[in-house]
Amino acid sequence: MGRATDGKGPARSRERFLQGEAVEAGVRVPISNSWQRCRALGLSPDQPGLPFRDDFERDARIIRAAVPVLDRLQSLFAGSRMNISVADANGTVLLRRFGEASLAGSLPAFQRVPGFVFAERYAGTNGIGLALAERQLVQVYGAEHFAERAQGNACRALPVRDPISGRIEGVLCLGYPRSAEDPALAALIRRAAHAIERRLLGQSSERERALLRAYLDTGAETTAGPHHSVGVGELTPGMRPCDRATLMEKAAELISCAQRAAVHVTLSDGRRVTLVSRPMTTATGVEGFVTEAILPGPARHEPLLVPWPAEQPPRLTLVPTESARDTAATAEAGAAAEPAAPEVRAASVVPAVPVVPTVPAVPPSAAVPLAAAPGIAAPGLVPLRADARGTDAPAGGSRGSPPPARGLVLVGEPHVGRYALAARRRLELLTDASTRIGTTLDVRRTAEELAETAVPRLADYVTIDLPEAVLRGEEAADPFSDLYRTVVHGISDDCPFYPVGKRTDYGPATPHLRCLTSGQAVLEPDLTTAMGWLAHDPQHTEVILAHVHSLIAVPLVARGVTLGVAAFYRGQHAAAFDDDDRSLVQELAGRAALSIDNARRYTRERSMVLALQRSLLPQGLPDQDAVDVAHRYLPAESDVGGDWYDVIPLSGTRVGLLVGDVVGHGMLSAATMGRLCTAARSYAELDFSPDEVLTHLDNLVGRLDREAPAAGEAGIFGATCLYAVYDPTTQRCTMARAGHPPPALVHPDGTVSFPDLPAGPPLGLGGLPFEAVDIDLPEDSRLVLYTDGLIESRNRDADVVLDRLRGALAHPDRTPEEICETVLETVAPVHPRDDIALLVARTHALAPHRMATWDLPADPSLVSEVRASALRRLADWGLEEAGFAAELVLSELVTNAIRHGSGPVRVRLLHGRTLICEVSDCSNTAPHLRRAATTDEGGRGLFLVAQLAQSWGTRYIRQGKVIWAECGLDAA
């Protein structure tokens, strides 16, 4: 770990770094970041001296708290080459201790006495400087030091914080030779730093006890006044916990005002309590405030007792009890008592200002201003005046009113009250964030909600950068470089941040990339000294500095996936960010990252389902002459369902129109839709009637529902479907539906109707029949099929929607494409909760001169006449080239009908895109294609038909069957 001899390790990496080469991956992230900052600062590894200060406060709080702890550590390390240091928050060494006295003589002059500054910007990578930069426990070992003179040493350093404010008061550092490295030092330095922090807290407690003694002394002197103490039970019988919390919160606000003021607090039962704050100064000069509760009118002489919540242990203090004599005695006991004063029996215990846990502090710009300056009442506070007796009373009080009851609520210093309020504001912000962030499953909107929650309560400006892949629902291949500005939000629009959509490339020393690399929030309290940030884009950062001065960059990481980076800025007139703010931002970003990742995963799943859905839907319209068709598919905003549509060319120039909807949403519904759509097309191409197609689909859905639990899937509760078959030769449409909304029919004159079709049960119930209905459709009619997502909505009346649909369709001059656009614009909900499938067909009729029909009895001798008549009609149509194939096909089909069927026999020729030959009879027996043996005399006719025709088949009608064959118009 020291100077490398094998070309590896930190020494070799440091040499490569100093030569301008890329740093090896083996260097720890904090060390690499520090080296980058040292380079940006222009430091040299051979820099000889460090700044020295002799004007530091010799009796600072951190010194008084650390001296006993350092003495203990010196005793523990006696005889070793350990040097123990305590520096202030600027890196100035305040205390030095040595395990071996002679060690001081062997050290350079700048390491022997307090006063030298070891901040990173002067000394480079070292324990004290790096602990202040990283704001956590650090270890610097051998060649990880930037300076040449420190290569043989190792050290561990940990910031020491004020337990109340959370601010860094100093740094505890243990330095030792590289050979003395011991993993147990990490736990030891933590215990030592914690001991210093406890002593800092004890100093605050002493100040509060002094304030309490001063208050009791003052109370003893004014016992003869018109005030007496009351209990909470007299303030309002059975006081609720919310009332107690309100009193404590308002009392803390008054103390944090640092001025004489009063506020009226209305309890939940309508009663009012007046809280009054007044200054208090101890004999040693400690200045603070007390808050008392005042009620007009007489009351029993009982102490005011406001319990503190159990999760925050109260600071035990003393309050006078029943009489003035007891009050004076308690004041004397309190003045002489040691910290164990709660054992005094003549006093009642109440909480003073509580010990505030180490939580982020709300910046003054984000907190509600309570007072602009001493002597100026904050909003909602009543200025106080002194009455004739020299006591405080709310302005406007009546001299003739009954003497008020008074009791102590809180006593403390104003800054402690501000910390308590800051803690409450932070809890409120996190609570608010849990309800405001993640209200949608949209990645961009969730990022915007994070920014809107933080501004202006926590920051003045927020920028969020995400990779394009995250916005698409995918994981970014390189989240450290593939970043684009996604959100810019602030208190004003004049801050010149990169605009939304711009690619953001961050340098290695910038806070943004450092936080992505480390996975932790990076704090830059003063951007004017953040060399990595300044060097990234000097011209642009100089302009930004006119608006902001403090930054926290935090990575957005959820479930091990890096989603992007968020930057929180504060303006020039706001307090700088501190460690508590960094902790709050880290928590806020963590919660937001989970919501963003949920939105990303949902976006990915929805994209997959939507891609599957669209791939299973028809990719194009088939060639057919029966109808002109237009279609639309609109997925739901929240999820993708199982709606589908299809246009199926059938025999005899007919066309099948199909619309269906699978119950539910998601991948399972889309997959089930694909199964049903494929099955429905297969059943339709077998020339089943609409009611038979629905019967087969009903059986299929029932089977899928029964098989689903065995496959570990959720049950499919069914589907709805509407199937219509239109025949342009008869201009008749046969329809059947299974629990589906009825179609809309637009007549050529513009009249709109909704045919009354038998509803039928939804698919999957089983055992119930379906009924088909024939409807005559004149040429140029419009048939509109749709799913329930078009007309059904929680906030809309179905009859009103149908009337709106009727109005949108009552325009016979519109094309199917125009009808689709109009319906989606005027009828579809703005934010559809369900999928919408829409199919519009304009009907055509096959001209009579393109059809030829012959009815003949079952007489084989008539076959030749049919062939001759068919050839003449083909000649009239100009299809002589197709005559040979048509003659053979008709001869075979008519012969089979006469020999194996039952009369009468009908022959029909249809001239459309192809030539269709149909032969029908009254028999239900259908021919089957087979391969005839060499010894068979028959069985080759259908084989010839299959070879000469493009396709052939059988369809059943109400009386018999139809054998058809379709030939190309260019057949020879």
Side-chain angles (χ1 to χ4, degrees):
M1 296 293 291
R3 294 186 177 276
T5 59
D6 55 357
K8 299 180 181 179
R12 178 56 180 163
S13 298
R14 179 174 173 276
E15 293 174 5
R16 293 171 59 88
F17 175 80
L18 295 177
Q19 294 172 4
E21 301 178 21
V23 178
E24 296 178 2
V27 179
R28 293 185 294 125
V29 172
I31 302 300
S32 176
N33 291 338
S34 180
W35 288 357
Q36 295 287 353
R37 291 192 295 268
C38 293
R39 172 181 288 173
L41 291 166
L43 297 179
S44 169
D46 301 319
Q47 191 167 345
L50 294 175
F52 180 81
R53 294 181 50 194
D54 58 1
D55 58 345
F56 62 88
E57 186 180 353
R58 306 288 174 171
D59 192 33
R61 295 178 64 232
I62 184 67
I63 293 179
R64 287 185 279 116
V67 165
V69 178
L70 263 63
D71 291 342
R72 180 76 178 272
L73 290 174
Q74 184 179 25
S75 174
L76 179 65
F77 290 109
S80 69
R81 298 184 62 81
M82 179 73 68
N83 67 84
I84 309 155
S85 305
V86 169
D88 63 13
N90 297 317
T92 304
V93 176
L94 306 178
L95 295 171
R96 299 300 299 269
R97 295 287 190 275
F98 300 98
E100 186 176 306
S102 61
L103 180 61
S106 63
L107 294 177
F110 65 86
Q111 293 187 5
R112 299 176 187 173
V113 295
F116 282 94
V117 182
F118 277 86
E120 189 181 64
R121 63 178 180 271
Y122 302 120
T125 306
N126 70 92
I128 293 175
L130 188 59
L132 289 173
E134 295 293 327
R135 314 182 81 84
Q136 60 183 344
L137 176 64
V138 298
Q139 177 191 16
V140 184
Y141 195 96
E144 292 180 335
H145 288 88
F146 190 75
E148 289 286 350
R149 60 175 175 266
Q151 299 293 293
N153 300 326
C155 62
R156 293 180 184 264
L158 177 65
V160 177
R161 303 175 185 273
D162 186 327
I164 295 180
S165 68
R167 291 196 306 260
I168 292 179
E169 292 289 331
V171 177
L172 174 62
C173 180
L174 302 180
Y176 44 88
R178 289 183 307 176
S179 59
E181 173 61 35
D182 187 348
L185 290 176
L188 176 64
I189 194 172
R190 290 184 186 277
R191 293 197 300 270
H194 186 58
I196 298 175
E197 291 173 350
R198 288 200 307 269
R199 293 185 58 81
L200 288 172
L201 182 62
Q203 294 178 16
S204 300
S205 302
E206 287 294 337
R207 297 171 65 90
E208 292 174 6
R209 283 194 289 270
L211 285 172
L212 180 61
R213 285 193 292 268
Y215 169 77
L216 296 177
D217 293 342
T218 303
E221 295 172 0
T222 60
T223 301
H227 310 296
H228 57 276
S229 60
V230 298
V232 172
E234 293 219 9
L235 292 177
T236 172
M239 178 177 285
R240 300 176 181 176
C242 61
D243 292 332
R244 297 190 183 98
T246 301
L247 286 177
M248 298 301 294
E249 179 181 5
K250 293 299 182 182
E253 287 182 4
L254 286 175
I255 291 178
S256 65
C257 287
Q259 65 177 16
R260 303 167 68 94
V263 62
H264 300 296
V265 180
T266 302
L267 303 180
S268 58
D269 61 357
R271 299 189 182 186
R272 295 206 310 173
V273 176
T274 301
L275 295 179
V276 179
S277 67
R278 58 190 178 93
M280 186 67 57
T281 304
T282 68
T284 58
V286 177
E287 297 181 353
F289 277 78
V290 297
T291 300
E292 298 173 309
I294 300 177
L295 271 179
R300 293 200 311 267
H301 291 242
E302 296 180 2
L304 175 64
L305 179 60
V306 182
W308 192 253
E311 62 271 14
Q312 295 186 7
R315 180 77 49 73
L316 301 181
T317 56
L318 304 177
V319 169
T321 54
E322 297 183 356
S323 64
R325 186 176 309 142
D326 293 335
T327 300
T330 304
E332 295 176 1
E338 293 298 326
E343 297 178 359
V344 177
R345 304 298 182 186
S348 299
V349 179
V350 301
V353 177
V355 178
V356 181
T358 305
V359 293
V362 171
S365 61
V368 179
L370 296 176
I376 302 177
L381 303 182
V382 182
L384 295 181
R385 63 173 176 81
D387 61 11
R389 298 176 181 269
T391 58
D392 298 327
S398 172
R399 291 180 180 269
S401 60
R406 167 174 293 180
L408 176 66
V409 178
L410 286 178
V411 59
E413 297 178 88
H415 70 277
V416 179
R418 284 192 289 271
Y419 297 146
L421 291 178
R424 182 180 294 275
R425 299 290 184 262
R426 277 167 177 73
L427 292 175
E428 292 174 352
L429 178 61
L430 290 176
T431 301
D432 192 27
S434 63
T435 58
R436 292 187 59 182
I437 301 176
T439 59
T440 67
L441 288 172
D442 179 79
V443 175
R444 190 182 302 273
R445 179 56 193 153
T446 304
E448 292 173 352
E449 290 171 345
L450 168 60
E452 292 169 358
T453 302
V455 176
R457 299 163 66 179
L458 178 60
D460 294 329
Y461 301 93
V462 174
T463 64
I464 299 177
D465 303 325
L466 302 176
E468 281 188 334
V470 172
L471 296 175
R472 296 194 303 267
E474 305 168 3
E475 292 186 13
D478 185 8
F480 300 99
S481 60
D482 185 26
L483 293 172
Y484 289 84
R485 182 58 46 85
T486 305
V487 175
V488 176
H489 184 67
I491 57 177
S492 63
D493 298 330
D494 59 346
C495 196
F497 293 109
Y498 291 138
V500 173
K502 180 178 176 60
R503 184 185 178 96
T504 54
D505 294 318
Y506 295 113
T510 57
H512 304 75
L513 196 60
R514 286 163 49 201
C515 77
L516 286 173
T517 305
S518 64
Q520 300 294 324
V522 173
L523 168 64
E524 292 289 357
D526 186 2
L527 286 176
T528 60
T529 61
M531 297 307 300
W533 183 78
L534 294 171
H536 169 61
D537 188 352
Q539 295 182 350
H540 189 238
T541 53
E542 183 177 355
V543 177
I544 294 181
L545 280 177
H547 299 79
V548 299
H549 75 101
S550 189
L551 162 68
I552 297 178
V554 58
L556 299 174
V557 181
R559 303 180 180 97
V561 178
T562 300
L563 304 173
V565 60
F568 296 74
Y569 296 86
R570 279 193 181 160
Q572 295 291 348
H573 302 292
F577 284 118
D578 56 23
D579 287 282
D580 293 338
D581 296 315
R582 182 179 65 167
S583 301
L584 179 60
V585 166
Q586 184 88 35
E587 174 69 18
L588 192 63
R591 298 188 181 192
L594 285 175
S595 297
I596 293 175
D597 190 52
N598 289 338
R600 179 191 67 83
R601 289 166 175 253
Y602 167 77
T603 302
R604 179 184 61 183
E605 180 178 345
R606 185 174 187 273
S607 300
M608 294 171 57
V609 175
L610 189 57
L612 174 63
Q613 174 88 330
R614 294 192 182 279
S615 67
L616 296 174
L617 291 174
Q619 302 302 305
L621 296 177
D623 294 332
Q624 46 82 34
D625 295 326
V627 291
D628 292 334
V629 179
H631 56 84
R632 293 290 188 275
Y633 172 72
L634 183 64
E637 279 194 351
S638 59
D639 207 345
V640 179
D643 292 15
W644 87 91
Y645 59 87
D646 205 351
V647 179
I648 309 169
L650 302 176
S651 63
T653 69
R654 299 173 308 138
V655 65
L657 304 175
L658 185 68
V659 171
D661 182 6
V662 176
V663 174
H665 296 84
M667 185 72 74
L668 179 60
S669 295
T672 304
M673 177 274 293
R675 292 178 178 181
L676 295 184
C677 186
T678 302
R681 173 176 280 270
S682 301
Y683 297 144
E685 290 179 343
L686 290 174
D687 279 323
F688 290 145
S689 63
D691 54 329
E692 291 177 314
V693 170
L694 295 182
T695 299
H696 287 294
L697 290 177
D698 180 59
N699 295 333
L700 175 61
V701 173
R703 184 169 66 252
L704 294 176
D705 197 14
R706 291 190 298 271
E707 295 174 354
E713 301 173 347
I716 304 167
F717 296 99
T720 64
C721 184
L722 172 63
Y723 181 42
V725 176
Y726 173 70
D727 189 346
T729 64
T730 61
Q731 300 180 38
R732 178 169 295 178
C733 184
T734 303
M735 292 182 283
R737 64 186 180 121
H740 202 82
L745 176 60
V746 184
H747 296 273
D749 60 356
T751 304
V752 180
S753 64
F754 296 92
D756 186 15
L757 302 180
L763 301 177
L765 294 183
L768 299 176
F770 299 95
E771 184 178 352
V773 175
D774 293 334
I775 299 177
D776 292 327
L777 293 182
E779 186 176 8
D780 206 30
S781 298
R782 274 75 168 173
L783 186 62
V784 182
L785 284 68
Y786 52 87
T787 55
D788 57 1
L790 178 67
I791 60 174
E792 293 183 3
S793 176
R794 298 178 181 177
N795 304 322
R796 303 192 301 173
D797 184 82
D799 294 334
V800 174
V801 177
L802 289 177
D803 290 340
R804 188 179 301 175
L805 177 61
R806 191 189 308 271
L809 297 177
H811 299 278
D813 55 331
R814 290 176 177 170
T815 65
E817 287 288 343
E818 293 173 342
I819 291 176
C820 286
E821 293 294 334
T822 301
V823 169
L824 291 184
E825 290 177 0
T826 60
V827 182
V830 178
H831 302 286
R833 295 178 176 269
D834 195 6
D835 293 16
I836 297 175
L838 179 63
L839 189 65
V840 179
R842 180 173 62 185
T843 62
H844 297 293
L846 188 63
H849 68 274
R850 287 179 171 268
M851 295 183 291
T853 305
W854 297 276
D855 292 322
L856 60 154
D859 186 356
S861 62
L862 299 177
V863 175
S864 59
E865 296 181 7
V866 172
R867 291 200 303 264
S869 300
L871 289 176
R872 288 193 297 270
R873 181 54 62 95
L874 292 178
D876 295 340
W877 290 342
L879 302 178
E880 292 86 352
E881 295 182 359
F884 175 74
E887 183 179 10
L888 290 178
V889 169
L890 282 176
S891 178
E892 176 64 26
L893 295 183
V894 173
T895 301
N896 284 343
I898 293 175
R899 292 181 60 184
H900 304 290
S902 60
V905 177
R906 168 170 289 190
V907 179
R908 188 170 69 160
L909 292 181
L910 303 177
H911 179 202
R913 291 178 178 268
T914 59
L915 178 63
I916 301 174
C917 305
E918 294 182 348
V919 177
S920 61
D921 63 81
C922 295
S923 172
N924 290 326
T925 60
H928 297 280
L929 181 65
R930 66 183 180 87
R931 181 176 295 276
T934 56
T935 58
D936 291 343
E937 296 182 0
R940 297 175 178 84
L942 284 180
F943 178 78
L944 292 176
V945 171
Q947 296 299 313
L948 294 173
Q950 292 181 351
S951 60
W952 74 278
T954 303
R955 72 173 181 269
Y956 292 92
I957 55 179
R958 293 178 181 175
Q959 294 181 350
K961 65 179 182 298
V962 176
I963 310 298
W964 58 271
E966 186 174 328
C967 302
L969 298 182
D970 56 349

